[in-house]
Amino acid sequence: SITTCSTFANRKILVYDGISPLSKGSVEAMVRYVAAEEGPNNIRCNAVGIGWIQPGNQDFSQIPPKPDVEPEDQLGRMLVLMREIVDMTKIQRNGTPEDAGNLFAFLASNEASYLTGQIIAIDGGLSL
C-alpha cells in the first residue's frame, strides 16, 4: 500500500496558496497511474487531500473574524487567511493531526484492501 499527500487546494482555489496545488496535481496523476499499472501486482496507491490541519494544539477557529492586526503585516495576512479557512470549512473547526493520521492508518490497513487510485479529501467540507 502506497499513500501520498495531496491538498484540498486542487479542488478549491485559495488565495495565497498557489504553490501547493501545482506540485500536488502531479502527485495525484502519479497515484492514478501507479494504481492502474501496479494493481495486477496487488499494490494499492492512494492519496490524501489534506485540508487545514492545525499545528500542535492551536485552534484557529478562536481567531476573531477580524483579527486585531494590520493585514499588510505578514502575521496579519496569515491570521486573516487562517480565519477565512475555518469560516469556509463546513464543520467549522480545524482538522487535527489525529484526524489525518486515522485516515492514513485506515488506508494502510486491510480494511482498505479494495481502495486504489483514490484521492480522498480530509478537509471538513472545505472543498465543497
Side-chain angles (χ1 to χ4, degrees):
S1 173
I2 301 167
T3 304
T4 64
C5 290
S6 187
T7 176
F8 75 94
N10 282 343
R11 283 143 197 82
K12 183 175 188 84
I13 301 295
L14 190 62
V15 178
Y16 305 118
D17 193 33
I19 200 98
S20 179
L22 295 174
S23 60
K24 299 304 191 293
S26 298
V27 169
E28 290 185 11
M30 178 198 69
V31 164
R32 290 187 298 275
Y33 276 91
V34 168
E37 293 177 8
E38 297 301 329
N41 298 313
N42 203 29
I43 296 173
R44 299 179 290 118
C45 189
N46 297 291
V48 174
I50 297 177
W52 194 251
I53 302 295
Q54 67 190 27
N57 60 0
Q58 296 175 347
D59 184 1
F60 294 119
S61 65
Q62 300 305 311
I63 297 171
K66 298 285 186 189
D68 189 24
V69 292
E70 293 299 319
E72 295 79 31
D73 172 309
Q74 184 174 2
L75 174 62
R77 283 193 305 271
M78 287 185 63
L79 288 175
V80 168
L81 177 61
M82 288 179 220
R83 180 58 207 209
E84 287 174 356
I85 290 170
V86 170
D87 288 345
M88 289 186 288
T89 302
K90 304 307 180 232
I91 293 182
Q92 292 290 294
R93 70 170 176 85
N94 304 321
T96 66
E98 292 79 13
D99 290 329
N102 288 338
L103 179 54
F104 279 94
F106 169 72
L107 289 170
S109 74
N110 287 335
E111 285 79 18
S113 66
Y114 201 59
L115 274 172
T116 193
Q118 302 305 303
I119 299 17
I120 301 172
I122 183 161
D123 64 4
L126 180 59
S127 57
L128 295 175

